[in-house]
Amino acid sequence: MPEIRVTPLGAGQDVGRSCILVSIAGKNVMLDCGMHMGFNDDRRFPDFSYITRNGRLTDFLDCVIISHFHLDHCGALPYFSEMVGYDGPIYMTHPTQAICPILLEDYRKIAVDKKGEANFFTSQMIKDCMKKVVAVHLHQTVQVDDELEIKAYYAGHVLGAAMFQIKVGSESVVYTGDYNMTPDRHLGAAWIDKCRPNLLITESTYATTIRDSKRCRERDFLKKVHEAVERGGKVLIPVFALGRAQELCILLETFWERMNLKAPIYFSTGLTEKANHYYKLFITWTNQKIRKTFVQRNMFEFKHIKAFDRAFADNPGPMVVFATPGMLHAGQSLQIFRKWAGNEKNMVIMPGYCVQGTVGHKILSGQRKLEMEGRQVLEVKMQVEYMSFSAHADAKGIMQLVGQAEPESVLLVHGEAKKMEFLKQKIEQEFRVNCYMPANGETVTLPTSPSIPVGISLGLLKREMAQGLLPDAKKPRLLHGTLIMKDSNFRLVSSEQALKELGLVEHQLRFTCRVHLHDPRKEQETAMRVYSHLKSMLKDHCVQHLPDGSVTVESILIQAAAHSEDPGTKVLLVSWTYQDEELGSYLTSLLKKGLPQAPS
Amino acid sequence: LKLCKYCLSGHPTLPCNVLKFKSTTIMLDCGLDMTSTLNFLPLPLVQRYELKECSGHVFVDSVPEFCLPETELIDLSTVDVILISNYHCMMALPYITEHTGFTGTVYATEPTVQIGRLLMEELVNFIERVPKAQSASLWKNKDIQRLLPSPLKDAVEVSTWRRCYTMQEVNSALSKIQLVGYSQKIELFGAVQVTPLSSGYALGSSNWIIQSHYEKVSYVSGSSLLTTHPQPMDQASLKNSDVLILTGLTQIPTANPDGMVGEFCSNLALTVRNGGNVLVPCYPSGVIYDLLECLYQYIDSAGLSNIPFYFISPVANSSLEFSQIFAEWLCHNKQTKVYLPEPPFPHAELIQTNKLKHYPSLHGDFSSDFRQPCVVFTGHPSLRFGDVVHFMELWGKSSLNTVIFTEPDFSYLEALAPYQPLAMKCIYCPIDTRLNFIQVSKLLKEVQPLHVVCPEQYTQPPPAQSHRMDLMVDCRGPRSSPCLSSVSPTETPVCFQLADALVPMEIKPGISLATVSAVLHTKDNKHVLQPPPRPAQPTGGKKRKRASDDIPDCKVLKPLLSGSIPVEQFVQTLEKHGFSDIKVEDTAKGHIVLLQEAETLIQIEEDSTHIICDNDEMLRVRLRDLVLKFLQKF
C-alpha cells in the first residue's frame, strides 16, 4: 500500500528547530533545518542520525527545502550539509538565499567569538553550504528529478518566506513553513490555490489565539512607547534584524512623523542598513502598497531611525532602541536589557514569541529575579510588555488556509502540544479530515490511493458522454471497459474494441425461458395483453409491439405460443442475452405473476 | 496533432499570432507596428495643412497613427488567453482587450508588465502632451492616396490605422493581466497547459510552451543567447516539441551587437571631445541599461568623467528604479550582486555620483541644470514625438553634434527624413540582441522540433541582400507550413483510482486484461475513474416498496464474453453438479445438450450458447454460472 510518512525531527509539538522528514511515493524530502534557541547543547540541532544510521544523507534525501531565513528554520543548515555531510540540492527562494548566510554568520559569531564554542561550523562552511542552494521563483514548478516536483507559494511571514508544495505523480504534501494570513505594513498575506494535497503540514504557533484587530494592537503599542518616552524612559524593543523589525520601524517612523516627536530612535547592529537594503532590492516580495509607491517613496528609507552605538545606552533622556536578538537570549539586546532593567521608568516590549529557556520567555512569564551568568541576580524593575506582532497566522488564519488548500488531512507542527490539541479538534470538526500532531521522532503514516494515468479511448469516453447530455460533476456515471496492460502501457478501451484488438471473437450467451400463462384467448391477443401490461409497468423502458406479433422490451424478445397439450394455456418465450440478464430475469418473474384481468 | 495558426501581424518582430489548439484559442503576443508613424510629421511642428512636403518627402501633418494587428480575421471575443513574450510585444494590448468583446485572461511575467506599462505610459504621455486639434483623414481617401508619392501611396490598410490609446485604456488592459513566473505551469480549462520559459532577451522576457497530454508546441519569440542583463535563455525545455513557432529574430542579421556597442562608445567619445553633443534616441528600458553599464566602465578610461549624461523620459526614474528590483529575473552575475546586497545595475552609482541625471521632460528642472557638451538619452526612437524632437531641432544645425541610432525598430534614414537638410552627424549602431540565423540553426539542431513554423520573411534572404543564403531559416529538414494537421490522437488520459479492485488476467504473453466498472468523474476537463459505490443495503424499516423500485437499471452493464465451451468437459461438469439424464446431440454447427428431466435445452456452438429452459430462475442461474466458468469476461 502506498503511503506518505512524516517524522518531525524538530518542531514536533514544539517551537524551534524546525526539521520535518517527509517520504512520499519513494522520495525523501527534508523540510527546514533549524536550530533551537532554548538550548545550547546538542539539543539545539535536530538529530540527523535518525535519518540514516549508516550511509550518506545524500543517498537517502532527494532534496532539502528551506521555507524562510529565520534561524529556527535554517540555523542547522551548515552543520547538516558540511559537518554531517549532505551534497544534494537545497531549495529556497531568492531573498532567503540572499539573507540566510548573513544570519548564519551572525549566529556563528555569537556562538564562537562571544561564547567561545569549539567545534562549530566555520564561515567557509556557510559559504560551501550556500553553494548547494538552488533558488526558486514563486509558483515556479521545479523538477527536482523526473518524478519529484516542488512549487513555492507566498507565505508573508518575512521577506522571501514561502510555503512549498511537494508533488510526486498525483500525490502531494504542502508545507507552510511560517505564514501570515493578514497583510501587514510591509508584507502581503499568504496565498495558496485549491491544490487539494494529501497532507497539509502547517505551523500552529498561535493555535488558540484569535487576535484582535491589528489596528488596535498597533495603537496600543504606539501608546505605550509614547507614554514611556514622555515620562523620560528608555524603551527597548528586542527584535530579529529582519522581519518584524522593519514592520515596527515603519510603524514608529510614521508615528514620529505624524506626532512630530523628537526622542531618538536607534537600531542596533550593523545589520540594519544592510537589512533595509535587502528590502529595497527585493521589493517585489513586499505588499502591493509598498510595491506601487516605491519609486516615489521607498518605505525602507527611514528618516527618524539612526544607527545605534553601544555608548548611546548610557545617554540621559528618553530613547527607543531596536536591538537584536529578539528573545533576549544573547547579544546586544541582552546587554541593553541588563543596563536598563533596574529602572522602573524604562520599558521593554517583546513583540514576538519567545522560546522556553530564553530570558525573554522568563520575563514574560512573570519572573522578576533573573539568575545571570556568574550567579549574579538581576532584578527586573522595568515595565515588561508583550505585544503579538509575530507574523504568524492565528487560529482563524490557520483555518482559513486549510479551507483554501482543501487537504485530505492536516498535520500540525511548530506549536505547543496543549494548544495543538485544541486546534486539532477544531480542524477535525470543521473540515472532517484527520489531523495529526506527532512529537519529535514520532512517525505519522498516511495510506494513499495513488492515481494511475491511463489512456482512455476517445470512443469509449464519448459513448459515456453521450449518455448524459452534459458532463455533470455532481452526477457521475458508470463506465465499463477493458484495461489492456501491455508492458508498462495502460489503455482503457471498450470491451468490443479489446476483443477486436486481441483477435478474439465474442461468445454470445442467450437465455430463453418459457413462461406458462393461463389464457384461453388467441396468441395474438395474449401478446397484445402482455404488451399493454408491460407498457404500463415499465414506463422508463422502450416497449414495442412488432408487426409479427412479438413484443420487445429494449432488446428482450417475448413471443407467445400455444401450449401443445393444454389449449387454455399459452407459453410465453422470453429471450435475452447475458448482457441484459437483469432485465430479462425481472421480466420473467413479472410475467410469472400473471396478467391483470382484462377489462370486460 | 491539429493546430491552426493565424498571423495577424505582418511584422515578424512585432508578432501577433492566434493559435487554435485543443479547442482553446490562444493569442501569442500583441505587437504594435509603429513604423506607420514615419509617414507623419514630428509632433510639435504645427501646420495647417493635411500634408506637407519636406525635402522631397510628403508627410501627413496629424497626430501619428499606428498600424494595428489584423482585427477582422478572427472574432477577438473568442480569444481565450493572450500570452505575452516580452514588453515590446504587448504594445497593441489595449487595442485588443478594449472595445472588442475580449473577455479572456492575459498572461505575462511581472517585469514584462511593469516595464510594458512604462513603455505605454511614455507613449501616451508623448502623444498627449502635444494636443492637436484635429487628425487628418482626407488623405486616407483611396482616390487621394493613389495620387500621393511613395511611401504614402504604398501604405496598406491606412483606414485601419488608429490613434494612440489613452492611459485609462492602458490601465484597463493591464488589469486583465495575470502575473506568472518562469516554469510555472498554468492550466487552461484542463485542456492545455502553458508555461513561460526564460528567453534571455529582456527583463522577464519569455518563450512559451503550450502542451496537451500528447502534443507540445513551443512558441519562441524574441530570444537571445548573448550574455546581457536578463536571465539566460532556457533551451532545454524546448526539446521534444512537435511544433516550434519561431518569431522575433534579429532585425539586423549582419550587425554584431558587441561591435556596435564599441562603435557607439567611440563615436560618443569622439563627438564629446570635440565639444559636440550626443543624442541617443531610445526606448526608456532595455538596451539602455546595457549602454549605461558600458559607459560606466568606459567613461573614466576615455576621460569623459566630467561629461553629464541626461536620461529624459516621463518614466526615466521609474525605469531606473524598476531595473534594480527584479533580481530574480537577472543573469547570475547581477543576482550575486543583489545578495551582497548591492544594486544589480551600476547606473545606481552613476546617479549617486551625479554623472547620470534623469528628468521627466526637458521642461522644468532640466533647463536650469542643462550643461553642454552632454549626452542625452531620450525617446521616441521614431523621432516623431517625445523630447527627442526638440533636441533634433536644437542640435541638428551643427556638425559638431551627433545623433546615434541604437534601436533597430525604425529605419534611421526614414526617421531623419523630415529633419533634412541636417548638418549634425548621424551614426547608425543598431543593437539587436535577438537570435541571428546562425544561432537559429544551432538552436533547431539542439532542440529538434518535428515541425518549424515561421513567418514567410524568414524563409528567404532579406530583399536587400538576396544573395546571402545564410540569412534565412533553414527549414529543409523539418517541414514548415502555416497550418498543420495529422492524425488526431485517439486517447486522452484519465486518472485511475481503482488499482486495488482490478483482477488482471494474462491473455497473451505480456498482455493482461482486466474488466473495469468504474464511476467516471469529469471535472475541469479532467477525467477520474473511481470505484463504483457499493449497492445500498435495503433498509429493514422500509417494507413498502413501489413496483418500480424493482425495475433494474439497464445501465448496469454486463461484460462481454469470449471463448468456447468444450462439450465433453461441460457435460462432466453438469454431472458433477448433480444433473443426470444428459443427452448430447450433434448439429451442423455444434451440439445440443439436453437435460431431459429439467426439460432444458442448451445449444452450444463455436461462439454462442443458448439456454432454453422453463421459468425456473434457480435452474437458469445455476446453468449460467456453469457456462460462465468456461468463458472469459471482458
Side-chain angles (χ1 to χ4, degrees):
Chain A
M1 194 70 181
E3 57 192 26
I4 295 174
R5 266 176 299 131
V6 183
T7 315
L9 299 183
Q13 303 182 4
D14 186 17
V15 175
R17 202 176 65 173
S18 279
C19 184
I20 297 134
L21 278 182
V22 173
S23 298
I24 170 170
K27 303 284 172 187
N28 298 311
V29 179
M30 190 166 102
L31 303 168
D32 280 338
C33 188
M35 52 81 94
H36 203 296
M37 314 258 180
F39 299 117
N40 274 324
D41 51 19
D42 280 352
R43 286 174 296 172
R44 72 179 156 207
F45 292 150
D47 178 14
F48 297 115
S49 64
Y50 177 94
I51 301 174
T52 160
R53 294 253 168 266
N54 33 32
R56 295 170 60 236
L57 288 173
T58 317
D59 298 333
F60 182 78
L61 290 174
D62 292 280
C63 75
V64 173
I65 294 171
I66 302 294
S67 64
H68 64 284
F69 59 63
H70 275 156
L71 287 174
D72 58 331
H73 291 260
C74 70
L77 200 56
Y79 169 76
F80 165 76
S81 74
E82 305 312 306
M83 297 173 80
V84 182
Y86 168 76
D87 298 320
I90 302 168
Y91 293 95
M92 52 178 85
T93 64
H94 284 271
T96 309
Q97 189 189 359
I99 296 166
C100 189
I102 293 165
L103 296 185
L104 286 172
E105 182 59 30
D106 210 46
Y107 172 42
R108 190 197 67 81
K109 267 193 201 141
I110 291 176
V112 176
D113 301 352
K114 296 241 167 83
K115 293 189 190 155
E117 280 189 55
N119 199 23
F120 207 76
F121 52 78
T122 64
S123 296
Q124 189 56 43
M125 284 180 184
I126 298 176
K127 282 187 191 129
D128 291 341
C129 163
M130 293 312 289
K131 281 183 194 147
K132 297 170 186 169
V133 171
V134 182
V136 299
H137 289 242
L138 274 187
H139 301 164
Q140 174 190 9
T141 305
V142 180
Q143 214 72 45
V144 177
D145 58 33
D146 286 346
E147 289 157 335
L148 174 62
E149 58 181 51
I150 61 173
K151 181 176 176 184
Y153 291 93
Y154 191 79
H157 172 65
V158 286
L159 194 74
M163 308 190 274
F164 280 89
Q165 182 191 40
I166 300 111
K167 197 170 168 193
V168 182
S170 61
E171 291 167 56
S172 65
V173 172
V174 169
Y175 173 59
T176 65
D178 292 355
Y179 64 101
N180 188 9
M181 292 300 282
T182 43
D184 57 25
R185 272 166 197 272
H186 79 293
L187 295 172
W191 178 85
I192 194 161
D193 53 10
K194 207 173 269 322
C195 54
R196 299 193 176 88
N198 296 87
L199 178 67
L200 174 78
I201 304 176
T202 173
E203 65 132 325
S204 49
T205 322
Y206 289 110
T208 53
T209 323
I210 291 190
R211 278 182 291 183
D212 47 355
S213 90
K214 229 186 60 184
R215 198 169 290 243
C216 292
R217 257 177 296 144
E218 288 178 356
R219 210 172 31 225
D220 249 32
F221 170 80
L222 292 171
K223 203 173 131 207
K224 277 179 181 144
V225 172
H226 193 190
E227 278 168 8
V229 172
E230 287 284 271
R231 66 170 181 254
K234 295 176 166 62
V235 181
L236 171 66
I237 309 172
V239 287
F240 288 99
L242 291 132
R244 288 309 84 195
Q246 280 67 31
E247 179 77 6
L248 294 173
C249 282
I250 293 175
L251 189 60
L252 278 190
E253 168 91 5
T254 39
F255 185 69
W256 249 238
E257 185 128 352
R258 201 175 68 224
M259 306 293 288
N260 201 14
L261 296 180
K262 292 286 175 280
I265 309 176
Y266 297 115
F267 202 126
S268 81
T269 78
L271 257 177
T272 335
E273 214 166 320
K274 225 173 167 182
N276 289 339
H277 218 104
Y278 279 116
Y279 278 84
K280 281 186 226 165
L281 292 173
F282 284 110
I283 214 137
T284 52
W285 283 82
T286 59
N287 69 24
Q288 197 138 25
K289 194 179 157 209
I290 292 189
R291 261 161 40 204
K292 256 197 174 146
T293 57
F294 90 103
V295 176
Q296 289 78 42
R297 163 149 172 58
N298 199 319
M299 286 303 275
F300 299 104
E301 275 160 18
F302 301 115
K303 269 190 251 161
H304 297 272
I305 300 167
K306 313 242 158 38
F308 181 74
D309 188 284
R310 204 175 298 178
F312 293 173
D314 300 322
N315 283 2
M319 67 172 84
V320 179
V321 174
F322 289 97
T324 55
M327 298 188 192
L328 285 179
H329 55 280
Q332 200 153 29
S333 61
L334 188 59
Q335 277 174 22
I336 300 172
F337 173 75
R338 289 168 78 162
K339 258 192 191 138
W340 293 357
N343 191 335
E344 55 278 318
K345 265 207 287 189
N346 296 340
M347 173 154 71
V348 58
I349 301 181
M350 306 298 299
Y353 183 87
C354 286
V355 163
Q356 225 161 23
T358 58
V359 173
H361 187 266
K362 283 176 195 157
I363 58 168
L364 279 186
S365 48
Q367 225 173 308
R368 287 294 172 265
K369 289 210 163 93
L370 300 172
E371 199 173 305
M372 307 305 279
E373 297 135 48
R375 306 240 160 192
Q376 254 182 306
V377 173
L378 180 71
E379 197 173 345
V380 182
K381 287 188 186 152
M382 77 199 295
Q383 211 178 323
V384 177
E385 294 290 344
Y386 172 71
M387 300 243 118
S388 160
F389 274 98
S390 301
H392 290 280
D394 61 1
K396 210 170 101 198
I398 297 170
M399 299 300 277
Q400 210 181 329
L401 187 90
V402 175
Q404 259 183 34
E406 272 192 17
E408 281 172 21
S409 44
V410 179
L411 189 145
L412 303 178
V413 294
H414 201 283
E416 290 160 33
K418 258 190 293 172
K419 296 180 180 176
M420 277 184 179
E421 196 71 59
F422 173 80
L423 184 67
K424 173 174 142 69
Q425 272 176 12
K426 217 173 134 187
I427 289 174
E428 285 179 339
Q429 263 169 22
E430 191 155 321
F431 296 102
R432 312 217 161 271
V433 297
N434 286 330
C435 185
Y436 308 88
M437 40 174 284
N440 287 334
E442 188 185 324
T443 302
V444 169
T445 308
L446 293 169
T448 58
S449 51
S451 301
I452 306 160
V454 168
I456 182 169
S457 88
L458 285 176
L460 180 62
L461 193 65
K462 279 180 185 156
R463 191 172 76 182
E464 292 307 314
M465 296 289 187
Q467 285 182 12
L469 288 172
L470 284 167
D472 183 354
K474 284 182 198 130
K475 229 177 134 190
R477 292 176 305 274
L478 262 184
L479 176 141
H480 300 271
T482 302
L483 189 68
I484 306 181
M485 291 165 271
K486 191 177 168 188
D487 305 323
S488 57
N489 186 7
F490 288 50
R491 290 166 57 237
L492 186 62
V493 297
S494 64
S495 305
E496 292 90 342
Q497 196 184 336
L499 285 178
K500 216 166 155 194
E501 276 187 30
L502 293 164
L504 300 174
V505 186
E506 192 195 334
H507 188 105
Q508 208 186 54
L509 177 58
R510 182 167 269 283
F511 304 96
T512 300
C513 275
R514 293 183 289 259
V515 181
H516 298 262
L517 269 188
H518 185 74
D519 189 357
R521 273 164 274 208
K522 283 197 174 147
E523 292 96 53
Q524 287 89 334
E525 283 174 52
T526 312
M528 194 61 213
R529 285 181 66 203
V530 167
Y531 168 70
S532 45
H533 176 51
L534 293 180
K535 185 89 182 164
S536 68
M537 289 295 289
L538 306 168
K539 294 248 160 47
D540 297 337
H541 291 73
C542 171
V543 183
Q544 281 180 302
H545 194 193
L546 299 183
D548 69 350
S550 52
V551 176
T552 59
V553 179
E554 306 287 345
S555 60
I556 291 158
L557 188 73
I558 304 166
Q559 285 171 312
H563 197 274
S564 50
E565 292 152 23
D566 179 4
T569 303
K570 296 287 168 303
V571 180
L572 291 177
L573 291 171
V574 186
S575 178
W576 68 91
T577 63
Y578 173 63
Q579 281 72 25
D580 293 319
E581 192 177 30
E582 310 279 330
L583 188 58
S585 122
Y586 168 73
L587 278 181
T588 50
S589 63
L590 187 67
L591 291 171
K592 206 175 169 183
K593 288 178 199 155
L595 300 173
Q597 284 305 309
S600 47
Chain B
L1 174 92
K2 205 167 164 186
L3 67 91
C4 243
K5 196 196 114 191
Y6 302 90
C7 188
L8 307 187
S9 157
H11 199 304
T13 25
L14 297 166
C16 183
N17 295 308
V18 170
L19 193 70
K20 293 203 174 189
F21 179 51
K22 293 269 151 200
S23 25
T24 53
T25 306
I26 303 171
M27 180 180 278
L28 303 167
D29 281 331
C30 260
L32 182 63
D33 187 353
M34 290 195 258
T35 52
S36 59
T37 61
L38 294 175
N39 295 299
F40 291 77
L41 270 189
L43 255 187
L45 308 174
V46 187
Q47 289 287 328
R48 301 222 314 274
Y49 307 101
E50 280 227 339
L51 298 165
K52 184 176 185 270
E53 190 183 339
C54 269
S55 46
H57 280 78
V58 173
F59 295 94
V60 181
D61 181 14
S62 167
V63 182
E65 294 181 336
F66 307 119
C67 181
L68 268 55
E70 176 63 58
T71 51
E72 301 293 309
L73 189 59
I74 69 154
D75 180 0
L76 291 175
S77 67
T78 63
V79 172
D80 296 310
V81 293
I82 302 178
L83 308 180
I84 303 290
S85 56
N86 62 66
Y87 46 75
H88 286 299
C89 292
M90 62 184 281
M91 297 298 281
L93 199 59
Y95 293 120
I96 303 290
T97 60
E98 308 306 301
H99 321 302
T100 60
F102 172 81
T103 53
T105 314
V106 185
Y107 291 99
T109 63
E110 182 166 9
T112 301
V113 177
Q114 298 295 3
I115 297 174
R117 176 196 296 275
L118 297 183
L119 292 183
M120 291 179 177
E121 215 177 298
E122 187 191 57
L123 189 66
V124 173
N125 187 301
F126 281 163
I127 305 258
E128 285 184 353
R129 70 160 76 144
V130 202
K132 281 216 169 189
Q134 58 193 38
S135 58
S137 55
L138 287 173
W139 70 277
K140 289 185 180 179
N141 187 318
K142 280 222 164 67
D143 294 328
I144 298 175
Q145 198 199 353
R146 201 155 44 90
L147 303 171
L148 297 175
S150 251
L152 274 180
K153 185 174 69 175
D154 308 324
V156 286
E157 302 276 354
V158 289
S159 59
T160 67
W161 289 9
R162 287 281 173 277
R163 299 175 61 161
C164 189
Y165 32 73
T166 63
M167 212 48 220
Q168 198 185 354
E169 286 165 324
V170 170
N171 287 330
S172 169
L174 293 179
S175 71
K176 298 183 170 85
I177 300 185
Q178 197 165 326
L179 298 184
V180 293
Y182 288 150
S183 303
Q184 179 176 350
K185 295 176 179 170
I186 303 134
E187 287 284 342
L188 303 183
F189 321 109
V192 287
Q193 194 182 57
V194 297
T195 311
L197 303 172
S198 176
S199 78
Y201 166 59
L203 269 174
S205 69
S206 30
N207 292 322
W208 291 84
I209 302 282
I210 301 141
Q211 59 189 341
S212 72
H213 296 283
Y214 296 103
E215 299 111 327
K216 176 171 174 180
V217 178
S218 297
Y219 175 61
V220 175
S221 163
S223 300
S224 175
L225 291 169
L226 298 179
T227 322
T228 56
H229 57 273
Q231 214 181 86
M233 177 178 176
D234 179 353
Q235 294 184 65
S237 308
L238 298 173
K239 282 187 182 166
N240 303 321
S241 300
D242 296 288
V243 177
L244 189 140
I245 301 170
L246 185 68
T247 62
L249 304 184
T250 179
Q251 301 186 74
I252 323 288
T254 48
N256 165 14
D258 282 333
M260 286 296 147
V261 171
E263 224 169 281
F264 169 82
C265 287
S266 58
N267 277 301
L268 183 143
L270 192 70
T271 307
V272 175
R273 271 196 218 110
N274 293 332
N277 300 297
V278 176
L279 179 61
V280 187
C282 62
Y283 292 116
S285 179
V287 175
I288 186 171
Y289 303 144
D290 296 314
L291 290 178
L292 288 174
E293 184 153 8
C294 288
L295 289 172
Y296 168 78
Q297 290 154 1
Y298 182 75
I299 44 177
D300 286 327
S301 64
L304 302 176
S305 336
N306 297 320
I307 302 296
F309 288 77
Y310 300 117
F311 177 16
I312 302 170
S313 159
V315 297
N317 185 27
S318 301
S319 165
L320 293 171
E321 289 285 340
F322 268 111
S323 68
Q324 306 286 22
I325 66 160
F326 291 123
E328 291 153 280
W329 309 86
L330 293 172
C331 64
H332 184 73
N333 271 343
K334 297 226 176 300
Q335 266 178 20
T336 358
K337 280 186 96 175
V338 174
Y339 288 179
L340 290 176
E342 278 171 23
F345 285 97
H347 53 240
E349 200 184 317
L350 287 175
I351 294 169
Q352 232 169 26
T353 54
N354 263 331
K355 284 175 183 158
L356 173 66
K357 291 185 175 181
H358 54 83
Y359 302 90
S361 84
L362 46 69
H363 305 289
D365 289 348
F366 175 72
S367 38
S368 49
D369 294 358
F370 180 42
R371 275 190 301 124
Q372 304 196 56
C374 65
V375 179
V376 170
F377 294 87
T378 188
H380 184 271
S382 65
L383 305 193
R384 290 302 179 271
F385 38 84
D387 300 291
V388 73
V389 176
H390 293 272
F391 285 101
M392 283 304 294
E393 287 169 2
L394 186 66
W395 290 343
K397 292 166 198 78
S398 164
S399 60
L400 278 179
N401 303 326
T402 307
V403 54
I404 309 180
F405 292 89
T406 55
E407 301 288 354
D409 286 354
F410 300 92
S411 146
Y412 80 106
L413 289 174
E414 282 182 49
L416 287 170
Y419 299 95
Q420 300 292 3
L422 207 59
M424 100 196 274
K425 261 184 289 181
C426 306
I427 307 287
Y428 184 52
C429 298
I431 298 168
D432 195 334
T433 57
R434 286 170 280 208
L435 295 177
N436 63 32
F437 292 98
I438 301 164
Q439 290 163 333
V440 165
S441 68
K442 243 175 95 185
L443 176 76
L444 292 182
K445 228 174 258 170
E446 182 80 22
V447 305
Q448 299 268 359
L450 283 182
H451 303 272
V452 175
V453 179
C454 68
E456 208 184 347
Q457 289 96 322
Y458 294 155
T459 59
Q460 55 209 37
Q465 292 145 308
S466 53
H467 60 288
R468 294 284 299 269
M469 294 308 281
D470 55 329
L471 299 184
M472 57 184 272
V473 175
D474 184 8
C475 304
R476 271 168 305 179
R479 217 165 63 87
S480 163
S481 72
C483 202
L484 288 165
S485 80
S486 57
V487 189
S488 15
T490 53
E491 289 178 5
T492 183
V494 58
C495 268
F496 203 72
Q497 297 188 332
L498 20 83
D500 302 334
L502 287 183
V503 190
M505 57 183 168
E506 194 163 14
I507 298 291
K508 289 177 181 172
I511 303 178
S512 299
L513 291 188
T515 44
V516 174
S517 274
V519 176
L520 176 70
H521 293 266
T522 304
K523 204 173 181 183
D524 301 336
N525 249 335
K526 296 248 185 299
H527 311 296
V528 177
L529 287 177
Q530 284 176 349
R534 274 161 222 272
Q537 297 294 323
T539 42
K542 252 188 177 174
K543 279 272 153 60
R544 275 192 310 140
K545 280 203 284 188
R546 281 180 302 140
S548 61
D549 287 346
D550 290 338
I551 303 172
D553 184 359
C554 68
K555 280 175 192 162
V556 180
L557 282 177
K558 290 272 181 171
L560 293 184
L561 304 171
S562 178
S564 56
I565 296 172
V567 174
E568 275 178 38
Q569 284 176 41
F570 180 61
V571 170
Q572 283 168 17
T573 314
L574 286 175
E575 283 170 345
K576 217 188 282 170
H577 283 81
F579 290 96
S580 55
D581 209 1
I582 301 170
K583 219 172 110 189
V584 179
E585 287 173 18
D586 287 354
T587 63
K589 283 181 180 167
H591 312 273
I592 293 180
V593 179
L594 275 168
L595 305 177
Q596 290 176 319
E597 195 182 335
E599 286 188 60
T600 295
L601 193 107
I602 305 170
Q603 292 175 343
I604 297 175
E605 289 177 11
E606 180 61 32
D607 50 12
S608 70
T609 300
H610 195 166
I611 300 173
I612 302 159
C613 61
D614 264 345
N615 189 7
D616 181 347
E617 188 67 7
M618 289 272 282
L619 172 71
R620 189 186 67 80
V621 169
R622 267 176 78 201
L623 287 173
R624 178 196 70 190
D625 291 344
L626 292 178
V627 169
L628 287 179
K629 272 189 184 174
F630 293 93
L631 296 172
Q632 292 157 337
K633 292 182 191 174
F634 290 93

